[in-house]
Amino acid sequence: MHTPADEKWYSNVGNNQLTGQVPEFQSNKTLLSLSLQKNQLSGSLPESFGRLKIQNLFLNDNPKLEGTTRFRMTDVTSSCNAQNTGITFTDDYTSKLCKPQYIVSIALACLVALAVIAKLVMVAVGRARARNAKPATESIAMTPL
């Protein structure tokens, strides 16, 4: 795939029953997403894989993938799934990011943060309404028709 130097791209070849080894990657471009999940890939990841810039990586459900890789995720918006593989990441951050329990922990933390933010917004809106409400000091006379 040829793209301009500053363009970010993604590749999704997941769920295609692909077999064999992951090929060498010769790119200095940023991949927004690389999905190789749910195939029958085998062997270890190529050395060039360690030089890729990927924000979202999906290797899960390739039970014949194995080995250790120097691949490193540094973007805080990154996500990774390497469940059901034999891949080991040498970088501590990437290793934690690719563990299922870490993904669940991040998801739960995000849900709790959203709930707290929603509560704070509700309290702020309630206070703003209370400040803007005028006291009912005048009585309204109703006359029958």
Side-chain angles (χ1 to χ4, degrees):
M1 173 186 286
H2 175 43
T3 59
D6 59 345
E7 187 175 338
K8 294 181 180 184
W9 56 284
Y10 68 95
S11 178
N12 182 352
V13 291
N15 206 17
N16 282 300
Q17 298 302 312
L18 299 176
T19 59
Q21 295 190 331
V22 177
E24 290 285 335
F25 285 87
Q26 303 300 325
S27 176
N28 61 354
K29 295 168 185 55
T30 298
L31 285 122
L32 294 177
S33 180
L34 177 60
S35 176
L36 301 173
Q37 66 194 17
K38 298 181 181 176
N39 283 301
Q40 297 299 317
L41 299 172
S42 60
S44 58
L45 296 174
E47 190 174 317
S48 62
F49 199 81
R51 294 186 296 274
L52 290 175
K53 301 173 202 167
I54 302 174
Q55 289 182 358
N56 300 294
L57 175 64
F58 305 98
L59 297 170
N60 52 300
D61 298 316
N62 281 291
K64 296 177 185 174
L65 273 181
E66 59 189 18
T68 303
T69 181
R70 294 183 302 127
F71 177 71
R72 183 168 191 245
M73 299 182 95
T74 56
D75 192 322
V76 295
T77 62
S78 296
S79 65
C80 176
N81 188 340
Q83 283 182 291
N84 197 21
T85 69
I87 298 293
T88 302
F89 295 92
T90 58
D91 177 67
D92 285 341
Y93 177 73
T94 303
S95 179
K96 288 177 186 173
L97 188 62
C98 291
K99 289 183 180 176
Q101 63 269 27
Y102 189 73
I103 295 169
V104 171
S105 298
I106 291 172
L108 288 175
C110 289
L111 287 174
V112 169
L114 286 173
V116 169
I117 290 168
K119 180 66 175 173
L120 290 173
V121 168
M122 288 173 39
V123 168
V125 167
R127 287 182 181 166
R129 285 184 178 160
R131 277 194 304 263
N132 293 333
K134 295 182 182 177
T137 56
E138 299 177 24
S139 61
I140 301 172
M142 300 291 283
T143 51
L145 297 173

